[in-house]
Structure formats: C-alpha cells, structure tokens
C-alpha cells in the first residue's frame, strides 16, 4: 500500500510524516561501542555475537505509531519535539537533580520553542546525562540524529533529526532495523488490551490491574455490556476479557506493586462478596476490606490467565517517578514472590525489573522455584552496573532458561534504541567477564546468548503460536 493510502486509513493528518522510511538495515553508529580497554578475543567474539543476535523485547508501554503521528493530541505526548525522548524516566532524574518545577513545566510544554528548551536543561544536564536514563537518551540522539553531544550548538540538529525521523514506518525502522528487535510486548497504559495496527511487532499483554484494584467498573466493565450487580457478575466481566483476548495476548501484567506489596492471600468468594457489594453501593472500604477484595480478585484473574496458559508479569522493586518510593515496602517483594510461587505451582510468574535494588534475593527465588522467571526489563537503565552484576551472578546460579534480558519499558519509541544498546553492552560485559574469570567457556557463553536474548522469551510466551494467530487477526 502506498504511503498516502496508508496514512488516510491510519487517520494521520501530518503531511510531512507521510514519507515512509526506506526499508532495510542502516549500519549502527558504533562510536558508543568503543570500550577501548576491551580488545581481547573473548570480548570481540562475544560482542560480535551479541550485536548480531535479535532481542525479543518483553516489556514496553509504546503507544501506537498512528497515535505518535497525530502529534501532541495524545495524553502521553506532552510536546511533539525532541524533549519527548527525555519525557519518560530522564525527566525524574532532572527533578531529582534540582530542576525547579517551573523550568520543568516550560521544558516539556508544547508552547516553548524546541530550540529554547536547551537553556532550561543546560544547568542540570551534566548531573543527569550519565545515569542509565541519560545514557539511553544520549545513545538515541547519537544513533538516530548523529549528534554526539547535546549542546546549544547541536540542539537544532537534534530537533531537525526528531522531525525527520518521526514519520510513517519509524517504529519498524527504529525497533527492527536499528535496535535489532524481533518483537515487543506492550503493556498499554490506556486500555486493558490494545488492538495494535502492527500485531506481530507490538504484541500485547492484558492489563489485569483494573480487574482487581478498584475494581475499575468503568474501564473493564463497560466494554463487556455486562450489568454488574454481584461478585459473580464481576467474575463474568473478567472471563469476558480472557475469552475475547486471551488467545492473542502474550501475558497478563500488573503494576499493583506501585501501591502495595504483592502479598496476595487466597480469599474465597464468600468472604469477598459482601465487600464487593459495599463497593458497588459506593461505600468507603477500610484498608483490610480493600485487601480482601483485591486478593480474591487477583487470584481469580491469575487462575483465568493460567487456564489460558498466559504467564503473570508482576512489577517488583524500584518505582518510576520521584519523591514517593517507600523502600520499606519494596524490600518485601522478593519474600512475597516466593509465597506466590508456592501457592500456585501451576502458574508461571514473571517478576519484572529484578526487584531492584533487591536483586540478589530474586536470583535465590529463580533458583528455588520452577515457576519463577526473572525479567531484566527496565533494569539496564535504572542501574546498568547492577544489571550487569545481576546477570553475571544469575547465569552461574539459576537455570539459564528462566531469564529474560531485555524490555525497554518506554512510552516513546526512540529511547528504546538507546536502552537496547545499553543492554547489549551489559550482556557483552557480563558474558566476557564470566569467560575471562573462567566461570564459563567461550562456547557456552556464545550458546547462552541466543537463550537469554530471544529463545527463552519465544518459549515462555509461546511466540510461534501467537505470531501465527496474530498474522491474520482482524480486530472487531
Ligand atoms: Zn513498565
């Protein structure tokens, strides 16, 4: 289909965005790959293998490309300019480094000229550019716009690059051609399940959090057309989502650990029923009542997902954002994870983000429980050195078929490229060090690369079968 036809169908009204990006790989700019002290054969062999090996990206929040091409009308796009690359994650480091709220608001405002935005960032840039969040952005600027250093001199080139890149076909170009990603798994932040325009590239999780927190009568209940008058009706609502999307989804996802620990008790329906009725009558629930209801519905959704052979992805550890994370709660996540695995041995749990900073405990969890999987998504940019340390230790401790090594975890697509580069660098270092320290043979390290970068994901999420189904899907 021609570019114009495609854009009409996709509802884009941005004319300069209508020129498709030429297909085919563009050589990666490799300046950031030069780690000068690493010239040995082991490092060379492993880095070559890791660069060539595609990732399956097991966690993103990407909005649809079509939504990006409509500019700042999407609630997740503050400002359709280069600052969008800094708007997810690095924005938190900027505030924590001391940027005043007023400057921050102007920086991300669509009303500020994109070129003038540099002056607002400049005082804080030296403090944030080398964090994992900062590195992912710097690498994206380098690989996408050929800008080595963000500055007053280069900001115009960055903005021009942003506009030239953001056009029809840029998701596939960035994810597949540049980042060498085979497919992504998207947890939509705007709907329980997103019917993607690119269903085999942007595979989807079913978001279950609204099934048990609240629960979200409007967002989950309304689309089903079911009149909810009892707990049994709500069970039917949950069933409806699985019946409709269970076979297309790759997993289910909950980020409920942002508001409580993942210590879910198996509460029977008769105990939850009166609480649910009180909720329907708009009664104020006590925190104990809320936990009773959430716990019951969590397990209802988890059992349903298990019936559909879908793994349960749970947020653990570090919180996105700033000035609110209670470490006293997070420290319990690994202990609660062991309880979940023990209570539901047939359910596969994917614990995300290595429960940073409590990652040593997560290695113990994966080593002990058959049904515990660890996903390193997001961890490479929270703390790249800790993520490398985790991977090194994991690979000589727990079975290598239960680890997933990459998820960009981004809303904008551009910094996924930076994150993938940071992750590849970390994997190369972890494997090379294991070989140089003689814990692993070079052959075994090379063999492991395929497992940890894509083969595990393919198996855990049944991707061969899902791809076949999604190839011909017609959303209704
Ligand atoms: Zn996420």
């Amino acid at each position: 289909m021609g570019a114009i036809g495609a854009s009409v169908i996709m509802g884009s009204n941005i004319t300069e965005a209508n020129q498709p990006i030429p297909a085919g790989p563009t050589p990666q700019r490799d300046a950031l790959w030069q780690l000068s002290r690493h010239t040995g054969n082991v490092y060379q062999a492993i880095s070559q293998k890791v660069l060539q090996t595609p990732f399956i990206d097991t966690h993103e929040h990407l909005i649809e490309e079509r939504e990006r091409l409509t500019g700042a009308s999407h609630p997740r796009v503050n400002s359709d300019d280069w600052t969008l690359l800094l708007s997810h994650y690095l924005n938190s480091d900027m505030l924590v480094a001391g940027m005043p709220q007023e400057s921050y608001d102007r920086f991300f405002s669509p009303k500020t000229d994109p070129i003038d935005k540099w002056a607002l960032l400049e005082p804080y840039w030296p403090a944030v550019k080398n964090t994992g969040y900062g590195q992912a952005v710097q690498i994206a600027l380098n690989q996408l716009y050929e800008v080595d250093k963000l500055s007053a001199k280069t900001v115009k080139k960055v903005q021009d690059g942003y506009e030239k890149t953001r056009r029809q076909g840029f998701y596939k170009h960035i994810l597949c051609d540049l980042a060498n990603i085979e497919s992504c798994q998207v947890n939509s932040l705007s709907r329980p399940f997103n019917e993607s325009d690119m269903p085999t590239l942007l595979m989807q999780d079913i978001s279950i959090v609204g099934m048990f927190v609240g629960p979200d009568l409007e967002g989950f209940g309304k689309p089903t057309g079911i009149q909810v008058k009892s707990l049994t009706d709500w069970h039917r609502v949950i069933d409806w989502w699985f019946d409709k999307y269970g076979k297309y989804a790759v997993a289910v996802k909950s980020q409920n650990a942002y508001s409580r620990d993942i210590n879910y008790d198996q509460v029977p329906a008769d105990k939850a029923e009166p609480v649910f009725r009180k909720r329907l009558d708009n009664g104020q629930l006590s925190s104990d009542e809320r936990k009773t209801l959430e716990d019951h519905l969590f397990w209802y959704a988890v059992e349903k997902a298990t019936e559909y052979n879908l793994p349960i992805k749970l947020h653990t550890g570090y919180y996105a954002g700033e000035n609110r994370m209670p470490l006293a709660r997070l420290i319990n996540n690994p202990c609660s994870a062991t309880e979940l695995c023990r209570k539901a041995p047939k359910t596969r749990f994917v614990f995300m983000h290595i429960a940073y900073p409590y990652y040593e405990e997560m290695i113990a969890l994966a080593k002990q429980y058959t049904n515990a999987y660890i996903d390193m998504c997001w961890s490479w940019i929270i703390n790249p050195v800790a993520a490398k340390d985790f991977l090194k230790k994991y690979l000589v401790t727990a079975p290598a078929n239960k680890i997933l090594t990459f998820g960009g975890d981004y809303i904008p697509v551009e910094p996924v490229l930076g994150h993938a580069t940071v992750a590849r660098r970390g994997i190369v270092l972890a494997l090379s060090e294991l070989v140089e320290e003689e814990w692993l043979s070079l052959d075994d390290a090379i063999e492991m690369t395929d497992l940890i970068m894509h083969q595990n994901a393919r198996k855990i999420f049944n991707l061969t079968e899902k791809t076949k189904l999604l190839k011909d899907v017609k959303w209704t």
Side-chain angles (χ1 to χ4, degrees):
M1 183 185 299
I4 291 168
S7 70
V8 169
I9 285 167
M10 297 195 334
S12 166
N13 54 6
I14 309 267
T15 46
E16 63 272 25
N18 283 346
Q19 292 307 312
I21 288 163
T26 308
Q28 285 205 15
R29 283 168 58 82
D30 62 359
L32 285 138
W33 273 95
Q34 306 298 325
L35 302 180
S36 53
R37 71 188 174 85
H38 291 282
T39 50
N41 289 343
V42 167
Y43 180 84
Q44 295 295 338
I46 291 174
S47 62
Q48 202 176 18
K49 171 71 183 168
V50 170
L51 261 179
Q52 286 166 354
T53 304
F55 268 130
I56 287 174
D57 173 344
T58 49
H59 185 55
E60 294 292 350
H61 297 288
L62 300 171
I63 61 177
E64 288 285 299
E65 180 179 289
R66 158 176 49 85
E67 297 172 312
R68 274 295 301 278
L69 297 180
T70 61
S73 64
H74 193 280
R76 301 279 174 183
V77 179
N78 289 330
S79 199
D80 188 19
D81 61 37
W82 66 276
T83 62
L84 186 67
L85 275 73
L86 289 73
S87 71
H88 197 196
Y89 302 130
L90 186 51
N91 59 333
S92 298
D93 285 351
M94 287 154 57
L95 285 171
V96 172
M99 186 182 216
Q101 190 67 43
E102 195 261 329
S103 309
Y104 176 94
D105 292 343
R106 274 169 53 213
F107 183 77
F108 288 110
S109 166
K111 292 185 190 134
T112 310
D113 185 295
I115 309 304
D116 295 342
K117 290 184 173 189
W118 164 252
L120 294 164
L121 176 64
E122 190 176 11
Y124 308 97
W125 183 239
V128 301
K129 67 178 183 178
N130 291 309
T131 66
Y133 296 167
Q135 291 198 25
V137 168
Q138 282 201 75
I139 294 167
L141 298 180
N142 176 275
Q143 295 189 351
L144 291 172
Y145 316 141
E146 301 187 4
V147 169
D148 292 330
K149 270 194 181 138
L150 181 60
S151 71
K153 276 194 202 125
T154 59
V155 64
K156 169 96 175 54
K157 191 175 174 191
V158 168
Q159 177 58 20
D160 289 349
Y162 175 85
E163 288 170 26
K164 262 188 226 147
T165 304
R166 194 252 299 107
R167 58 165 77 173
Q168 196 188 321
F170 79 120
Y171 270 41
K172 199 177 157 293
H173 179 63
I174 291 175
L175 295 170
C176 307
D177 301 339
L178 299 180
N180 195 8
I181 289 170
E182 192 175 296
S183 64
C184 303
Q185 301 180 1
V186 178
N187 169 215
S188 168
L189 295 175
S190 35
R191 34 190 97 87
F193 182 90
N194 177 47
E195 298 181 346
S196 178
D197 296 336
M198 296 180 266
T200 55
L201 178 59
L202 304 184
M203 296 187 177
Q204 306 284 322
D205 298 332
I206 298 175
S207 172
I208 57 166
V209 74
M211 292 177 182
F212 65 95
V213 177
D216 182 358
L217 301 173
E218 189 73 11
F220 283 73
K222 221 173 168 194
T224 68
I226 296 168
Q227 285 272 352
V228 179
K229 296 208 167 105
S230 66
L231 184 62
T232 314
D233 292 337
W234 190 252
H235 290 163
R236 283 171 54 223
V237 165
I238 297 176
D239 295 351
W240 184 94
W241 286 96
F242 282 97
D243 289 346
K244 189 162 168 70
Y245 293 115
K247 64 176 175 181
Y248 300 117
V250 286
V252 304
K253 157 81 197 298
S254 161
Q255 64 273 37
N256 190 212
Y258 274 99
S259 47
R260 55 167 280 185
D261 186 23
I262 53 171
N263 55 340
Y264 304 101
D265 296 321
Q266 286 164 318
V267 175
D270 59 340
K271 261 192 144 177
E273 173 76 43
V275 185
F276 187 71
R277 283 192 188 277
K278 194 170 170 188
R279 161 76 179 90
L280 284 182
D281 296 340
N282 289 318
Q284 221 22 57
L285 301 189
S286 70
S287 62
D288 280 356
E289 286 173 325
R290 216 170 33 240
K291 184 171 185 307
T292 297
L293 184 58
E294 283 178 5
D295 288 6
H296 167 74
L297 289 172
F298 170 83
W299 283 109
Y300 188 89
V302 163
E303 278 160 25
K304 207 72 207 168
T306 306
E307 250 174 74
Y308 279 81
N309 197 22
L310 297 172
I312 318 296
K313 294 177 172 175
L314 298 180
H315 177 101
T316 60
Y318 197 75
Y319 285 7
E322 63 286 327
N323 300 317
R324 67 182 177 130
M325 178 181 64
L327 274 182
R329 179 196 288 157
L330 273 62
I331 198 167
N332 292 311
N333 285 174
C335 308
S336 299
T338 61
E339 294 312 294
L340 296 179
C341 290
R342 214 170 41 77
K343 283 174 183 162
K346 290 201 175 97
T347 297
R348 294 174 297 149
F349 290 98
V350 177
F351 298 103
M352 312 173 84
H353 324 308
I354 68 174
Y356 181 80
Y358 308 109
Y359 59 89
E360 190 81 49
E361 288 84 341
M362 298 308 272
I363 300 174
L365 170 76
K367 183 171 179 62
Q368 176 76 204
Y369 287 92
T370 313
N371 57 340
Y373 299 82
I374 312 293
D375 192 329
M376 296 184 72
C377 56
W378 193 29
S379 67
W380 294 106
I381 55 169
I382 298 174
N383 181 337
V385 178
K388 184 203 74 170
D389 184 50
F390 167 85
L391 182 59
K392 265 184 87 172
K393 289 176 174 171
Y394 180 98
L395 291 175
V396 290
T397 307
N401 59 349
K402 305 203 307 158
I403 184 167
L404 302 157
T405 54
F406 181 65
D409 212 345
Y410 272 115
I411 294 168
V413 72
E414 292 91 338
V416 174
L417 175 59
H419 194 166
T421 303
V422 174
R424 279 200 170 84
R425 182 188 294 157
I427 293 170
V428 169
L429 288 172
L431 291 172
S432 304
E433 287 173 20
L434 285 171
V435 174
E436 274 162 6
E437 292 164 14
E438 299 180 7
W439 298 112
L440 270 191
S441 72
L442 179 58
D443 284 353
D444 284 347
I446 299 273
E447 198 180 293
M448 251 176 197
T449 309
D450 289 309
L451 274 188
I452 66 174
M453 291 180 71
H454 59 255
Q455 280 175 4
N456 289 347
R458 216 174 273 155
K459 238 191 201 152
I460 294 165
F461 302 106
N462 295 312
L463 295 186
T464 310
E465 181 198 320
K466 299 287 174 183
T467 307
K468 256 191 221 153
L469 267 173
L470 288 165
K471 237 175 29 204
D472 307 311
V473 69
K474 302 259 183 300
W475 303 119
T476 49

